[in-house]
Structures are given as structure tokens and as C-alpha cells.
Amino acid sequence: MMKLTKIITSAFLTASLYVTTGCTDVLDLEPQDKLPVEAVFGSPAGVKLYMANLYYQLPTEDFLFFNSGFNQNQGGPNNGGQTRAQSTDEAVHSEAGGLNNGPNGNGNNMNNYWISGYSLIRDVNLLIDAIPTLDIPEEEREKLSGEAAFVRAFAYFGIAIRYGGLPLIKESQEYLGDAESLKVQRSTEKETYDYILSELDIAISKLPDSWDGERRATKWVALALKSRAALHAASLAKFWDKAPLSGDAVDLGYVGMSASDAEAYYAECIEASTEIMDSGVFSLFQPTPASPEEAAENYRRMFQDPNIALNEAIFIKGHTIPGNRRGHNYDIWFTPAQLANGWPHPGRMNPTLDLVDKYESYASPGEEAPIVTTAEGDIDDYNGYEASKNYLHFEDPTAPFENKDARLHATVVIPGSTMKGEEIVIQAGYILPDGTPRIRTGGSVEIDGVTYYNYGGPTTNDYSGFDGFGGNNTKTGFSFRKFISDEPITPGWNQSTTDWVEFRYAEILLNYAEAVAESGLGDASRAAQAINDIRRRAGHTSEIPLTIDNVMRERTVELAFENKRWWDLIRRRERHEIFEAQISHALQPVLDLRVSPPKYIFIRANVHNMNPRTFLIRDYYLSIPGVGASGVIQNPTG
């Protein structure tokens, strides 16, 4: 093996503490924070450990992606249960005020990835330098080169979607006393995406179809990332003029692309997606349910344990062992309050009425189906209870949702639904017999010997809605179901072991359909079939035509809470339009005691104690840290 003199100083050092047989010499090196490359790559075990660390650093927005960044499961990560979804129109946090990524924040603090991204690029470049020197069969060398290209592409994609055109560090750098020689100016945004796609082409050509059960990047994973990255680039080009910026970075092409660039990127998305679709390796999990109820259960089970859906899952990140750096905290943060099992801070993820309204009714395919609460059918009034309105009455609080798309019931806990064998009580109050409303206030009333509680039960253990106590109850009228375990929660940090699916076949079908609908390239009939196949899996039996509105509605409900919605709004330049003094909406179930027996009415309302959220056009690109020292041109700031 050729002598390598470069030094590794990275997060690998943490992982190296777990090296045992074959690499114990690594632990004897001095100093411990600087490892000569040959000590790491001198054995197959060392190489495998190094690769595991690279995968750990990938910009995967999974269960561990919280308000302070990636992989937030070290010790007691008291991040308050703040997620990417709560910075979109999908959900709000149950607590009001002061949360950077909650009701009053725009979530940009979750985006910072410059330093971490380039740290990963440095580490993978060291691997690329070492690969020619490794004493391994040529076939293994090719696979390792493919993995390195995939990781580097993923890292650059994670940075590019946040900052635009990047300094492209294509080989490792070594400081020899001249800092100026290490400075690299930004490439244009187009050059950056072209480089990412070219790296993925290398990965696709070298990676195997499988790793015999190991969770490592395959040819199909690289194609899935190419499908996603090419669609992102195409959207940036096509929709740049919806939110144009100005300044040096724009003039030099570091941010912004021409609409004429879009077609080639759409074509690359279509090509990558088609290769996966034609492979015969992947398909939708349980594609033809016998009923909407079966469809809901299939969809729910797929996210509770994606290992039962390996025909759909293209790339899984495992969390199969509880504990620091392994498990996660979705169950303790987001399980409805009634199922907290002693954990003091449940119920933090509150899906919005805005999301619930997007799910179709089986009776009206191809259209959003907002929840109708009055005889007049008014769905645009969010001013709360008004005595003059003719509210519809329901004996069962689940009745307004009965004919809704199965994916809603597998994703969202609606009032009165059952979870883990218990009815989830979500009630905002009641209307007294004299017409006085008692909404979002505690207490009870006795009528004809029967006690009625404002929130549907006597104590905070008996309900999951609207009581502001501890921030544990929904403020939208909905709680969270997707990903949540069937088992009672373990009230401690990092005890959840649900695996995360980063790429799955349904996303590829949606990417293909969107690229075809936006570009006119590809096979329109096949794209229509792609979205209708996804709908059929959700219990729909009526097909809908290929339109961009249909594709994007399907994308919103199919991929809800998979941390795709933020980037869909960013790449299509829709976030500043939707978040123009945006306030999310709630549905308040209220027991009407004016009728006998009492029945429920539902009130469409603004989420209480929520300040308007606005997204500035300049925030489509983050401010680059350290420009004074690096010499790179800063992004637009005004």
C-alpha cells in the first residue's frame, strides 16, 4: 500500500471508539484527534467503519432532524419536538410563542449545513484519495468509488438546496502554510447541479444492484437521488422568475438559472425515474387494497415498519436500537396526550386543517375536500364560533371525515378516532343550553344530572385537545399518527426504533409525473398512470387526468410529514406566496348542549395564539457563513 500522509480530523473519531478486532491499533495512536489515513484504511474493518461514518453524516432529514440540525439524538436532546413539518403548512407546534421553528418561526435555523456539509466532503475526498491504494479486488474498488461519488453528490445537494452555487472541492486539500491556496470561489448554480448529477452518473455506473442485505447505497439509491436532484434543479430554473433576486451573486450566476435550463433537468429526472420504474425491482406496497380501511392500515404499517415494504423502500436509515445516536424521539414528542404513559411532554405535532382539507373525498375524485361545517357550506370563514351560523350537527365526531382519503386516517389522528385501542378525545368546549359558548376554557357543567367537561374529560389524562396545560394538547383539533408505534411509549430519550425511509418508489412515481406534466417530455399516459397507481393504493377507484394540480395535491398527501413539503415549496418558489402573513387553521369540535341528546358541531378557526408567518424572497438562499475569511461572494441579503 502506498504511504499516505494526510491526517483525518473528523467525526470519524467518535465512531473509532467502537473499533475492536483488526483495528485496535487505531486506538493507540497519538494524538487521538489526528489519525494518519493509513491507520484508518489499513484494514477492511477500518474502511467499513469509515464508510459508516460517511453515511451517518449524510444530510438525511429524518426523525433526528430537529430545530438545531441533523442527528439530534445525543444524550437528552431537549429540542421541544420542533420539526420541519411545523415550518410548513402541514403542522404547528402545540406550544405558542418563542419557538424558532414553531408557530412563530420560519424554520430557517434548521437549514444551516455549510460547515457540516463541507466536513463531509472533506472526509469523502480523503476516502477517494485512498481508494487506489487499498489492497482490495478491483470489483470492490469500483463499488467503493461508486459509494464515494454518491456520498459526495448527496453532500453537495444538501448544501446546494440551501445556498445555491458552491465552491466545488473535487479533491482533498492539505494546509501547508498558505491559506490563500486553499480558497475556491463559488461555481454557478447550474454548474453545481451539473456536477452533482455527473457524480451521480459515476455512482450509478459503479454501484451494485444490491449489497446482500446491507444498508448501503446501490445503483437504485443513486438513481433515486438523481431523480430528486434533477427535479429540484429543473424547478429552480423554471420558476426563478417567480421570486427573482439581485446582487453580485445573481449577476455572476451563483444563484439563479435560466428557464431554458429547465428542460434538460426535467429530462434527466424522467430518465432516472424511468430506469427505476422499468427495473422491475420496485413496486408500491400493497397496491390494490380491498377497501379504504384496508388501504389506511397498509399505509400506516408501511411507516411503522418500512422493512415490511422492501419492494417500495429504496433506501432505509435504521434506528433499530434504542439509545443515544441510535434511537429517536418521535413517539414521546408526538403521541397524543392520552397515550403519554408518564412522559411529561407529548402531543407536540399538530396537523393543520389546511392539510386535512387537501385530502380528497372518494365521492369527488380529483378535488380537495374541505371539511364542511355549516349548512351554507362556508369554508373560508375562520373567525370562530358565531351564533348566527347554521352549524351541521354530528352524533359522532368522526362523521365529517368518514369518506376522506385513507391516507388521512393513517397520517392524522382525527377527533374521536381510536389509537392503540383508546378513543382519542379532542374537544374544544361546548355550547350551553342558553346559547353561551364555552370554548377553549376549562371547567364543566351539570345538566339533568349529567356532567359535561369542556375538554371532554375530567383530567388531563382523559383528553388530547385544546387544553393549554404544558403544551401537551393539540391546538388544531388533530394529533399525529404517521410513524408512531403501536406499542406503549417508553418515557425516556431516544427509545423509539422506527426506521426511516429516505427514498421510496412512490416518490419516484411522483417525480416522474411532475417532470412530465411540467415539461411535456416523457410519456403522459404513463405519468397519469403513476399518480393513479398511488391513488389506487389509497383506495381510490376513479382515475384522474395528469395535471400539475393533481400531481402536486397527490404529492402533498402521499409524502406528508416525510420532510418533502418544505423543499417542494422552496424549489417551486411557492413558499413566499403561501407564507404571506400566513396563519394556520384549526377545526374545533364543540359539544352542542342546546340539542337533546347533545351533538357535535365543528368550527373552522385560526390557530389560537399564532402570529402571522412571512417568508422573504431573500430567504430562498441562506447567508453563507465565514465569507470574510473564505473570499466567496455572499448571497443576496436584501
Side-chain angles (χ1 to χ4, degrees):
M1 178 183 294
M2 179 179 70
K3 178 74 172 178
L4 296 174
T5 59
K6 291 185 175 64
I7 300 295
I8 294 175
T9 56
S10 74
F12 168 77
L13 297 169
T14 300
S16 72
L17 297 177
Y18 298 96
V19 179
T20 54
T21 306
C23 289
T24 52
D25 57 318
V26 172
L27 300 180
D28 298 326
L29 292 170
E30 296 291 343
Q32 289 283 311
D33 65 336
K34 294 184 178 181
L35 301 183
V37 171
E38 62 266 24
V40 176
F41 298 120
S43 73
V47 173
K48 192 169 184 178
L49 178 64
Y50 195 83
M51 286 304 307
N53 177 60
L54 296 184
Y55 279 105
Y56 181 77
Q57 294 182 69
L58 288 176
T60 305
E61 297 187 8
D62 65 341
F63 300 122
L64 309 183
F65 183 68
F66 279 91
N67 55 310
S68 51
F70 297 93
N71 293 318
Q72 298 300 302
N73 65 339
Q74 303 160 26
N78 193 9
N79 44 46
Q82 301 171 60
T83 71
R84 171 72 86 192
Q86 295 157 8
S87 294
T88 72
D89 51 358
E90 292 177 312
V92 299
H93 194 280
S94 61
E95 288 186 300
L99 297 177
N100 291 332
N101 192 44
N104 302 319
N106 66 11
N108 270 342
N109 57 318
M110 299 183 77
N111 277 335
N112 298 317
Y113 186 61
W114 187 271
I115 295 173
S116 298
Y118 275 104
S119 175
L120 175 53
I121 289 165
R122 174 198 61 198
D123 290 352
V124 75
N125 282 342
L126 288 171
L127 171 65
I128 291 170
D129 287 347
I131 288 173
T133 74
L134 299 179
D135 185 16
I136 57 177
E138 187 60 30
E139 181 183 1
E140 295 303 312
R141 196 186 315 279
E142 283 290 289
K143 291 179 181 178
L144 200 56
S145 296
E147 278 188 287
F150 167 78
V151 171
R152 187 156 64 177
F154 206 158
Y156 272 118
F157 180 58
I159 308 172
I161 58 179
R162 292 162 168 82
Y163 299 96
L166 305 174
L168 298 176
I169 314 298
K170 300 180 181 180
E171 56 188 24
S172 61
Q173 296 178 311
E174 186 174 359
Y175 177 63
L176 298 174
D178 179 16
E180 290 298 315
S181 66
L182 300 180
K183 293 182 179 180
V184 178
Q185 188 50 262
R186 300 172 70 177
S187 294
T188 67
E189 191 161 27
K190 183 179 187 306
E191 289 168 342
T192 299
Y193 279 97
D194 287 347
Y195 177 67
I196 292 168
L197 296 177
S198 70
E199 284 289 277
L200 288 170
D201 285 338
I202 293 171
I204 292 163
S205 69
K206 294 186 175 185
L207 285 169
D209 287 359
S210 72
W211 287 92
D212 295 326
E214 288 188 81
R215 287 175 175 166
R216 301 171 70 171
T218 64
K219 168 185 176 180
W220 312 114
V221 176
L223 281 164
L225 178 56
K226 185 177 181 183
S227 170
R228 183 186 292 177
L231 181 62
H232 195 101
S235 301
L236 295 181
K238 181 167 184 175
F239 300 114
W240 164 260
D241 288 340
K242 289 180 64 178
L245 293 160
S246 60
D248 291 343
V250 178
D251 295 340
L252 293 167
Y254 300 152
V255 296
M257 284 190 274
S258 168
S260 62
D261 297 325
E263 183 173 293
Y265 289 127
Y266 281 125
E268 292 216 53
C269 173
I270 290 169
E271 180 182 22
S273 303
T274 298
E275 189 164 354
I276 295 173
M277 293 160 66
D278 286 346
S279 70
V281 175
F282 300 99
S283 59
L284 294 172
F285 176 65
Q286 302 290 61
T288 55
S291 66
E293 292 75 21
E294 182 180 315
E297 180 63 8
N298 291 339
Y299 186 83
R300 186 193 67 81
R301 289 192 306 117
M302 176 170 63
F303 295 103
Q304 187 182 88
D305 180 10
N307 297 286
I308 68 171
L310 295 179
N311 58 311
E312 177 156 352
I314 298 175
F315 197 39
I316 294 175
K317 181 178 178 181
H319 298 286
T320 55
I321 303 175
N324 295 344
R325 296 183 182 273
R326 297 174 184 271
H328 63 85
N329 294 301
Y330 259 49
D331 288 284
I332 57 175
W333 283 127
F334 304 142
T335 294
Q338 290 167 254
L339 306 175
N341 199 29
W343 175 252
H345 309 298
R348 300 302 167 109
M349 183 88 84
N350 300 175
T352 63
L353 176 60
D354 310 83
L355 174 65
V356 170
D357 279 348
K358 290 182 184 296
Y359 289 86
E360 294 174 53
S361 163
Y362 291 108
S364 301
E367 302 175 7
E368 293 183 9
I371 303 300
V372 177
T373 62
T374 65
E376 295 77 17
D378 182 7
I379 58 173
D380 297 316
D381 185 352
Y382 298 101
N383 292 317
Y385 177 75
E386 296 179 22
S388 61
K389 287 186 177 180
N390 185 17
Y391 289 99
L392 300 176
H393 285 82
F394 302 92
E395 293 183 7
D396 187 329
T398 65
F401 312 93
E402 284 180 353
N403 210 31
K404 280 278 218 173
D405 188 306
R407 289 168 291 189
L408 170 66
H409 301 280
T411 302
V412 174
V413 179
I414 63 172
S417 60
T418 299
M419 187 173 184
K420 302 185 184 183
E422 184 169 345
E423 179 184 345
I424 305 303
V425 177
I426 298 175
Q427 182 176 309
Y430 46 64
I431 309 298
L432 291 170
D434 66 2
T436 303
R438 294 284 301 275
I439 298 173
R440 289 193 299 102
T441 182
S444 63
V445 64
E446 184 175 323
I447 300 174
D448 296 331
V450 178
T451 301
Y452 297 96
Y453 297 93
N454 283 58
Y455 296 129
T459 74
T460 54
N461 296 320
D462 300 308
Y463 52 80
S464 298
F466 291 98
D467 185 349
F469 174 77
N472 296 339
N473 293 273
T474 178
K475 60 197 301 180
T476 63
F478 306 102
S479 197
F480 188 62
R481 190 184 299 271
K482 196 171 186 177
F483 309 114
I484 300 300
S485 172
D486 266 344
E487 300 299 319
I489 67 171
T490 301
W493 296 116
N494 305 313
Q495 297 301 302
S496 295
T497 56
T498 314
D499 287 347
W500 176 266
V501 182
E502 178 60 20
F503 297 104
R504 63 185 180 97
Y505 187 61
E507 181 193 349
I508 303 306
L509 295 179
L510 289 163
N511 292 350
Y512 180 85
E514 183 180 343
V516 171
E518 289 288 10
S519 69
L521 304 173
D523 185 337
S525 62
R526 190 176 193 187
Q529 190 61 49
I531 62 170
N532 281 302
D533 284 348
I534 293 171
R535 290 166 50 76
R536 178 70 186 92
R537 194 258 296 278
H540 290 276
T541 57
S542 299
E543 296 196 346
I544 58 175
L546 179 71
T547 67
I548 194 59
D549 286 344
N550 283 342
V551 173
M552 297 313 296
R553 184 183 59 258
E554 277 300 309
R555 189 175 182 92
T556 299
V557 300
E558 175 67 24
L559 303 179
F561 298 101
E562 295 177 47
N563 292 335
K564 305 298 189 292
R565 177 68 174 166
W566 170 282
W567 294 115
D568 287 348
L569 296 176
I570 293 291
R571 64 182 173 82
R572 294 178 63 82
R573 292 303 191 254
E574 294 174 353
R575 185 168 175 84
H576 71 287
E577 297 173 341
I578 293 177
F579 281 74
E580 178 58 39
Q582 186 265 357
I583 292 181
S584 294
H585 300 116
L587 190 68
Q588 299 174 343
V590 171
L591 193 62
D592 191 348
L593 301 177
R594 295 172 298 180
V595 298
S596 182
K599 295 182 180 180
Y600 290 94
I601 62 173
F602 287 83
I603 301 165
R604 297 174 69 90
N606 291 328
V607 171
H608 66 278
N609 293 338
M610 181 177 183
N611 293 331
R613 298 190 291 186
T614 296
F615 185 84
L616 302 177
I617 288 177
R618 71 184 184 196
D619 289 335
Y620 281 114
Y621 297 96
L622 295 188
S623 179
I624 297 173
V627 294
S630 66
V632 302
I633 303 298
Q634 183 59 276
N635 279 330
T637 57

